[in-house]
Amino acid sequence: EAGVTQFPSHSVIEKGQTVTLRCDPISGHDNLYWYRRVMGKEIKFLLHFVKESKQDESGMPNNRFLAERTGGTYSTLKVQPAELEDSGVYFCASSQVVTAWADTEAFFGQGTRLTVV
Amino acid sequence: AQSVTQLDSQVPVFEEAPVELRCNYSSSVSVYLFWYVQYPNQGLQLLLKYLSGSTLVKGINGFEAEFNKSQTSFHLRKPSVHISDTAEYFCAVTISGGYNKLIFGAGTRLAVHP
């Protein structure tokens, strides 16, 4: 069974450019999460989709970030225009929606390392 | 609001020595606790989790952690480490009964030397 897949693995862009990160969750997982780790600090929650709906986007830094999950399958996270402080590793995770919380586990992708220069 | 503090950013240790990675959390409500590991060039992998019940939790690769409610701690231990345990370890919490929106600590880099 394929795990959570993220594209690209690395991206280097100039300040002011646009970048789109993609996440393919595990098949059948309705929950999809985006997290970000900036330069050795803690991994921070960005947002949570349940199918195609945004359940919680309280962690999105500002309106330069736009996340979508059309059709409830893969998700994209676009940064436009990118700033230097957006550099970091962006993780995606997915999990099933089950009635017993103890059965859930969030599976993480390898992350996309974004460098804005 | 919840927060997680990992007290050591780096822990060097010799192979076959015991290790403890410390984690303290802050929360006004009940939480679930997790340890994740990230090996080089890989994603985060769940090591173990505490949801309820026995405060000593055993995970994969010989790791275990003990939940201490009075000290609000969830330290990770292994009695004898291997070179292959070299990785970054993250402690995380989430609110009991909620979605698994995780709040992470800053991570601890474990370096196992021969």
Side-chain angles (χ1 to χ4, degrees):
Chain A
E1 177 182 317
V4 177
T5 308
Q6 294 187 243
F7 304 96
S9 56
H10 294 83
S11 180
V12 180
I13 62 171
E14 292 185 351
K15 176 181 172 181
Q17 289 186 321
T18 297
V19 62
T20 300
L21 313 181
R22 172 169 168 148
C23 170
D24 287 59
I26 293 172
S27 178
H29 282 191
D30 288 337
N31 283 318
L32 188 148
Y33 304 82
W34 284 98
Y35 289 85
R36 177 175 75 168
R37 188 182 192 201
V38 172
M39 205 53 183
K41 296 191 175 180
E42 65 272 19
I43 300 169
K44 286 195 172 181
F45 167 83
L46 295 179
L47 88 159
H48 169 208
F49 284 100
V50 178
K51 296 186 179 179
E52 67 274 11
S53 299
K54 292 176 184 175
Q55 181 73 24
D56 181 351
E57 52 184 331
S58 61
M60 294 287 265
N62 50 60
N63 60 10
R64 295 185 293 102
F65 289 75
L66 175 64
E68 295 181 322
R69 193 183 182 194
T70 307
T73 54
Y74 72 91
S75 174
T76 58
L77 180 65
K78 183 193 294 187
V79 185
Q80 178 183 29
E83 298 289 344
L84 298 179
E85 64 264 24
D86 301 332
S87 296
V89 180
Y90 290 76
F91 291 101
C92 175
S94 72
S95 68
Q96 293 179 305
V97 176
V98 295
T99 54
W101 200 96
D103 294 331
T104 65
E105 177 182 338
F107 293 87
F108 282 79
Q110 292 183 329
T112 293
R113 181 174 296 276
L114 174 65
T115 304
V116 183
V117 297
Chain B
Q2 293 73 40
S3 66
V4 176
T5 302
Q6 291 184 244
L7 297 161
D8 306 296
S9 59
Q10 297 187 59
V11 173
V13 64
F14 287 109
E15 193 173 20
E16 297 184 6
V19 70
E20 178 180 83
L21 306 184
R22 297 179 293 169
C23 172
N24 286 89
Y25 70 93
S26 173
S27 177
S28 58
V29 299
S30 295
V31 296
Y32 295 151
L33 296 150
F34 306 80
W35 276 98
Y36 279 85
V37 60
Q38 185 180 23
Y39 297 105
N41 302 315
Q42 295 187 28
L44 294 167
Q45 180 182 0
L46 181 65
L47 265 182
L48 48 80
K49 61 184 176 184
Y50 172 79
L51 303 179
S52 64
S54 173
T55 57
L56 183 62
V57 179
K58 293 189 183 298
I60 62 172
N61 300 339
F63 284 92
E64 64 180 33
E66 185 157 20
F67 170 55
N68 187 319
K69 188 175 181 179
S70 62
Q71 297 186 2
T72 60
S73 68
F74 191 55
H75 300 333
L76 181 70
R77 301 185 182 98
K78 186 169 182 179
S80 176
V81 295
H82 301 288
I83 297 287
S84 59
D85 292 322
T86 295
E88 191 157 21
Y89 293 78
F90 295 92
C91 182
V93 305
T94 191
I95 300 171
S96 301
Y99 290 98
N100 46 356
K101 168 185 171 180
L102 296 163
I103 297 165
F104 286 90
T108 298
R109 288 191 178 275
L110 176 65
V112 182
H113 302 285

